[in-house]
C-alpha cells in the first residue's frame, strides 16, 4: 500500500483559498467512503451473497448522500464559474474543480430517487452474478456456454445453449425497465432530456460529435465487414453442415456475435491449452517495465458459484490497491482478457504518480483506459509475439493466416457490435416505452447482419450486462479501439521507428517508459481530447484503426 495522502497531493498550488478548502474537504470526506465502496463492490462480485450486495448498496448510498450535499454543490458551482472565467490560475486546480462539478451535479436529485436507483441497479447486478444458463436440467458456467458455441456441431444443442444464455435478460428485464425510468427521472430533474444525454455530459462527451464519429465508422467498416462476414458465414455453414441462408445467432461463437468466430483450419486456442496464462502476463508486463505481480496476488481469478462470471479490473483506493476479477480458462479468449484487464491495471494508481492530486489520480477517461487495455490485448492472436514469449506455436503459416484474419475480423465485428450498443441505448433512453425487443433485433440485423430467430420476442438486450450495470458506456470501447491503434502507431513510430505490424513490445522497457510519460502520468490533468493529442500528436480519429483492419 502506498503512503497516505498528503495535503500537497490533495491540493496542489492554489491561489484561491476557497478552492483549496473545497478540494481538501471533499477528499477527506469522500476518500474513505470510496475505499469502503470499492471493497464492498469487490466482495459482492466475488461471493454473490445477499449480505455482501447489501453492504455494497449501503456503501454507495453513503457516497450518494455526500455528493448530494446542496451547500457543497453551490460552493463547487461558484468555483467552476471562477475556473471558466479564468480566475483560478492554476490549471490543476481548475481541472479538479471542473471534475468536482460533474461529480456533484449527477447527485443533485431527490435523495429517495438516488436510493431507488442504487437499490434497483444492485438487484440487477446480483441477478447477473447468480444466473447460470440451464440446459436439460444442467447448470452451465459461462465458460461452458462459450465452449459449446465454439465447438459443438449440433445446431439443436447450440440453440438451446444460446437461448439459455439469454435467459438472464428475462430474469432482469422488469427491474431494468424500472431502472431506466428512475435514471431518466433523475436526468430530467437535472435539466437534461434523458439519462443518455446526462451521461455523455458527465463524461465530457458531445452527443452530436459521437453520432458523427459512429456514422463515419459505419461508412468506413460496412463494406469490409460485409465481405468478411460473407467469408465467415460460408466457413461456418460448411463446418456446421447448414446452409448459409439457415445461419442463426446460435451458429456464431459468441452469444452476441461481438467476437470473431474461429472458423479456420489452425486453432488459435491450441498454444494456450498447456500455457500458464498468468506467468505469460507476468513475464510480458515485467519485460516492458510495467510489473503486475502485486496485482495478480490481490486478484481472484478462478470460477466459483455466485461469483461474477465476467472480468474487470478495479482500483480500490488510488494508492496502489489494484485488483482483477476473472475466471481463467486456458484458451485465447482468456489470454486476451487477462492482457486486457492487466492493461487497465498498469494504467491506474500503480503508474500514475502519488504526487498527482487525488482527484486527478485516475485514468483520463473511460475510453483511454479501455484503449490501453485493447492495445495490449491484441497480442494474444500473434504468433511472433507468442514465440518471442517462449510459447511453441504449431501450424506456422496456417496459424499466421488464421490469426491475422481473425484479428482483422475482430476489429470489424466489434465495430459493428458497438454500433448496436450505442444506438440501442440512445433510443431506449429517448423512448423507453417503445418495443425494445424489436428495436434490438432491428439494429442487430442492420449493423451485424445477423438474422432474428423466427417469432422470437424476448428481452435479449437485457442479457447484456453493460446495458444494466454500465449504462452509456459501450461506445467508449469503440473509441478505445481508435485510441489503441493511434497510440500503438505513435509508439511504433517514435520509439521503434518501425512498421506498427512488426512491433511486439516483448522485453522492451522503453514501451513502459513511453506509456508512462505519454499516457499514464498525466492522470486526469488532461481531458481525453487533450491526452490523445499529447500522446499521439493528433485528435482521436479512425485513420490508424483503418490501417489495422485493412491488414
Amino acid at each position: 500500500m502506498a503512503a497516505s495522502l498528503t495535503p500537497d497531493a490533495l491540493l496542489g498550488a492554489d491561489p484561491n483559498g476557497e478552492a483549496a478548502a473545497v478540494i481538501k474537504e471533499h477528499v477527506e470526506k469522500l476518500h474513505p467512503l470510496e475505499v469502503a465502496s470499492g471493497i464492498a463492490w469487490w466482495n459482492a462480485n466475488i461471493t454473490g451473497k445477499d449480505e455482501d450486495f447489501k453492504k455494497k448498496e449501503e456503501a454507495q448510498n453513503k457516497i450518494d448522500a455526500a455528493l448530494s450535499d446542496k451547500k457543497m454543490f453551490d460552493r463547487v458551482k461558484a468555483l467552476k464559474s471562477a475556473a471558466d472565467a479564468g480566475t483560478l490560475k492554476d490549471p490543476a486546480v481548475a481541472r479538479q474543480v471542473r471534475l468536482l462539478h460533474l461529480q456533484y451535479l449527477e447527485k443533485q436529485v431527490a435523495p429517495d430517487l438516488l436510493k431507488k436507483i442504487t437499490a434497483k441497479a444492485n438487484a440487477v447486478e446480483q441477478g447477473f452474478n447468480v444466473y447460470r444458463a440451464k440446459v436439460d436440467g444442467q447448470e452451465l458456467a459461462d465458460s461452458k456456454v462459450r465452449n459449446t458455441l465454439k465447438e459443438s456441431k449440433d445446431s439443436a444443442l447450440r440453440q438451446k445453449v444460446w437461448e439459455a444464455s439469454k435467459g438472464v435478460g428475462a430474469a432482469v428485464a422488469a427491474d431494468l425497465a424500472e431502472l431506466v425510468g428512475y435514471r431518466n427521472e433523475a436526468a430530467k430533474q437535472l435539466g437534461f432530456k434523458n439519462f443518455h444525454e446526462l451521461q455523455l455530459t458527465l463524461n465530457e462527451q458531445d452527443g452530436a460529435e459521437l453520432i458523427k464519429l459512429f456514422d463515419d465508422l459505419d461508412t468506413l467498416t460496412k463494406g469490409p465487414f460485409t465481405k468478411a462476414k460473407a467469408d465467415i458465414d460460408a466457413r461456418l455453414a460448411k463446418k456446421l453442415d447448414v446452409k448459409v441462408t439457415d445461419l442463426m445467432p446460435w451458429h456464431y461463437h459468441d452469444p452476441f456475435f461481438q467476437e470473431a468466430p474461429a472458423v479456420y483450419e489452425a486453432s488459435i486456442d491450441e498454444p494456450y491449452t498447456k500455457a500458464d496464462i498468468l506467468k505469460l502476463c507476468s513475464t510480458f508486463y515485467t519485460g516492458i517495465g510495467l510489473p503486475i505481480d502485486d496485482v495478480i496476488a490481490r486478484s481472484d481469478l478462478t470460477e466459483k458459484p455466485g461469483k461474477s462470471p465476467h472480468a474487470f479490473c478495479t482500483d480500490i483506493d488510488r494508492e496502489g490497491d489494484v485488483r482483477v476479477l476473472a475466471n481463467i480458462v486456458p484458451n485465447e479468449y482468456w489470454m486476451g482478457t487477462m492482457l486486457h484487464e492487466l492493461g487497465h491495471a498498469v494504467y491506474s494508481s500503480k503508474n500514475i504518480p502519488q504526487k498527482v492530486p487525488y482527484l486527478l489520480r485516475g485514468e483520463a477517461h473511460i475510453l483511454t483506459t479501455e484503449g490501453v487495455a485493447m492495445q495490449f490485448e491484441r497480442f494474444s492472436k500473434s504468433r511472433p509475439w507468442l514465440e518471442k514469449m517462449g510459447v511453441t506455436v504449431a501450424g506456422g503459416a496456417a496459424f499466421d493466416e488464421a490469426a491475422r484474419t481473425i484479428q482483422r475480423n475482430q476489429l470489424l465485428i466489434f465495430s459493428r457490435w458497438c454500433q448496436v450498443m450505442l444506438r440501442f441505448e440512445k433510443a431506449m433512453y429517448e423512448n423507453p416505452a417503445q418495443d425494445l425487443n424489436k428495436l434490438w433485433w432491428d439494429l442487430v440485423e442492420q449493423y451485424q447482419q445477423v438474422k432474428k430467430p423466427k417469432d422470437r420476442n424476448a428481452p435479449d438486450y437485457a442479457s447484456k450486462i453493460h446495458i444494466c450495470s454500465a449504462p452509456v458506456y459501450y461506445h467508449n470501447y469503440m473509441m478505445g479501439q481508435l485510441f489503441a491503434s493511434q497510440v500503438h502507431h505513435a509508439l511504433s513510430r517514435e520509439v521503434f521507428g518501425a512498421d506498427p505490424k512488426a512491433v511486439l513490445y516483448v522485453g522492451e522497457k522503453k514501451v513502459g517508459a513511453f506509456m508512462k510519460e505519454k499516457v499514464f502520468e498525466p492522470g486526469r490533468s488532461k481531458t481525453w481530447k487533450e491526452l490523445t493529442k499529447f500522446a499521439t500528436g493528433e485528435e482521436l480519429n479512425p485513420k490508424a484503426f483503418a490501417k489495422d483492419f485493412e491488414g
Side-chain angles (χ1 to χ4, degrees):
M1 187 70 66
S4 296
L5 300 168
T6 64
D8 286 344
L10 297 179
L11 307 178
D14 176 32
N16 186 321
E18 171 66 357
V22 164
I23 292 170
K24 183 175 185 293
E25 185 177 330
H26 169 86
V27 175
E28 287 181 346
K29 185 171 187 178
L30 267 295
H31 180 243
L33 296 180
E34 288 170 348
V35 172
S37 177
I39 292 171
W41 191 72
W42 174 262
N43 290 338
N45 278 283
I46 293 297
T47 69
K49 293 179 179 177
D50 291 346
E51 57 265 34
D52 287 328
F53 269 89
K54 183 64 176 175
K55 290 176 182 176
K56 172 179 170 288
E57 181 178 339
E58 291 169 350
Q60 184 59 51
N61 283 338
K62 289 178 182 178
I63 291 175
D64 289 349
L67 293 175
S68 64
D69 185 330
K70 181 68 167 59
K71 290 182 180 178
M72 186 63 156
F73 178 63
D74 288 342
R75 294 169 71 189
V76 170
K77 190 161 57 172
L79 285 170
K80 180 182 179 293
S81 296
D84 292 345
T87 304
L88 296 178
K89 301 298 183 184
D90 187 322
V93 172
R95 179 69 179 142
Q96 289 176 82
V97 164
R98 290 189 173 97
L99 290 172
L100 275 181
H101 180 260
L102 294 172
Q103 198 173 355
Y104 279 86
L105 173 64
E106 182 182 13
K107 305 301 180 182
Q108 300 307 302
V109 298
D112 285 350
L113 179 57
L114 284 178
K115 289 181 179 179
K116 285 181 181 179
I117 291 172
T118 299
K120 194 57 66 175
N122 204 47
V124 171
E125 188 173 331
Q126 187 174 13
F128 268 90
N129 278 17
V130 300
Y131 181 84
R132 296 293 182 271
K134 192 173 288 187
V135 175
D136 297 332
Q138 182 182 359
E139 200 170 81
L140 306 181
D142 188 63
S143 60
K144 180 66 174 176
V145 169
R146 289 182 172 277
N147 191 59
T148 302
L149 293 179
K150 195 169 189 178
E151 297 184 357
S152 176
K153 294 185 178 182
D154 182 340
S155 288
L157 175 61
R158 296 178 71 93
Q159 181 176 354
K160 282 184 180 181
V161 170
W162 181 85
E163 289 177 347
S165 76
K166 299 295 180 184
V168 68
V172 303
D175 281 337
L176 175 60
E178 288 187 59
L179 184 56
V180 168
Y182 293 153
R183 287 169 173 166
N184 269 349
E185 184 181 344
K188 289 172 183 176
Q189 286 187 14
L190 296 173
F192 293 86
K193 293 178 183 177
N194 55 63
F195 181 76
H196 195 273
E197 182 183 71
L198 168 64
Q199 282 300 105
L200 293 182
T201 299
L202 296 176
N203 283 292
E204 301 180 289
Q205 292 173 325
D206 179 272
E209 288 181 1
L210 184 62
I211 293 300
K212 172 65 167 58
L213 175 64
F214 273 72
D215 284 346
D216 290 345
L217 279 168
D218 180 26
T219 301
L220 183 72
T221 59
K222 186 174 183 179
F225 170 77
T226 299
K227 184 177 179 181
K229 186 170 181 295
D231 178 59
I232 289 170
D233 284 355
R235 291 173 182 269
L236 267 179
K238 183 178 180 181
K239 188 175 182 179
L240 299 174
D241 194 26
V242 298
K243 296 177 181 178
V244 169
T245 53
D246 291 336
L247 286 172
M248 299 303 293
W250 47 83
H251 288 120
Y252 298 93
H253 290 185
D254 175 87
F256 297 96
F257 189 40
Q258 68 181 73
E259 296 165 15
V263 290
Y264 302 92
E265 292 302 318
S267 169
I268 62 172
D269 283 331
E270 192 277 333
Y272 298 109
T273 56
K274 296 181 181 179
D276 185 333
I277 286 177
L278 286 180
K279 185 177 180 181
L280 284 172
C281 289
S282 173
T283 301
F284 173 66
Y285 279 106
T286 298
I288 62 174
L290 300 171
I292 42 76
D293 286 354
D294 60 324
V295 176
I296 291 174
R298 281 189 293 269
S299 298
D300 191 300
L301 304 171
T302 56
E303 288 183 325
K304 60 185 71 169
K307 178 184 172 183
S308 170
H310 304 286
F312 61 76
C313 175
T314 183
D315 189 336
I316 297 292
D317 59 3
R318 299 190 215 177
E319 294 183 303
D321 185 353
V322 182
R323 312 175 187 185
V324 168
L325 179 147
N327 297 274
I328 298 174
V329 174
N331 57 29
E332 187 277 329
Y333 171 84
W334 277 103
M335 181 75 243
T337 297
M338 289 309 297
L339 286 173
H340 180 108
E341 299 305 337
L342 291 167
H344 284 305
V346 297
Y347 186 7
S348 66
S349 60
K350 270 188 65 59
N351 288 303
I352 300 172
Q354 291 293 300
K355 67 182 179 182
V356 173
Y358 177 78
L359 293 178
L360 305 181
R361 201 183 307 146
E363 305 87 344
H365 195 271
I366 300 165
L367 77 88
T368 62
T369 184
E370 291 299 348
V372 169
M374 291 164 174
Q375 181 183 344
F376 292 119
E377 174 187 351
R378 292 180 184 180
F379 288 116
S380 68
K381 295 179 177 69
S382 166
R383 179 172 67 94
W385 182 85
L386 277 162
E387 291 182 339
K388 203 162 185 179
M389 290 293 297
V391 178
T392 301
V393 181
F399 182 94
D400 284 348
E401 178 63 22
R404 187 164 48 246
T405 306
I406 290 170
Q407 181 70 282
R408 176 182 182 275
N409 290 348
Q410 178 64 33
L411 294 176
L412 288 167
I413 288 167
F414 190 74
S415 170
R416 307 302 292 180
W417 163 242
C418 287
Q419 296 278 357
V420 172
M421 288 292 287
L422 168 66
R423 297 173 194 276
F424 176 81
E425 285 194 288
K426 182 176 186 293
M428 177 179 69
Y429 284 106
E430 287 175 346
N431 179 18
Q434 67 183 296
D435 185 341
L436 297 178
N437 298 355
K438 180 179 184 301
L439 170 66
W440 177 258
W441 279 105
D442 285 349
L443 291 169
V444 167
E445 291 187 322
Q446 178 180 351
Y447 290 101
Q448 294 183 284
Q449 300 176 20
V450 173
K451 286 188 290 189
K452 175 185 175 182
K454 185 181 179 181
D455 300 326
R456 185 161 181 85
N457 184 25
D460 294 326
Y461 61 90
S463 65
K464 187 60 181 172
I465 190 171
H466 294 76
I467 289 175
C468 303
S469 300
V472 197
Y473 185 105
Y474 222 88
H475 62 278
N476 291 295
Y477 286 122
M478 189 61 240
M479 296 174 80
Q481 290 282 14
L482 304 187
F483 186 80
S485 291
Q486 212 164 313
V487 170
H488 176 66
H489 282 237
L491 188 158
S492 300
R493 179 179 65 247
E494 296 176 22
V495 176
F496 293 94
D499 182 345
K501 293 182 178 64
V503 176
L504 301 174
Y505 299 3
V506 178
E508 299 282 4
K509 286 190 166 50
K510 53 190 176 181
V511 171
F514 177 92
M515 296 302 293
K516 286 179 181 179
E517 178 187 353
K518 291 291 192 176
V519 181
F520 303 162
E521 291 179 355
R524 299 191 75 186
S525 63
K526 299 178 184 297
T527 66
W528 65 266
K529 290 185 176 182
E530 292 168 343
L531 183 75
T532 304
K533 188 75 178 288
F534 175 73
T536 72
E538 298 181 287
E539 293 182 353
L540 189 71
N541 68 79
K543 288 186 296 184
F545 175 77
K547 289 180 181 178
D548 287 340
F549 77 67
E550 284 169 0

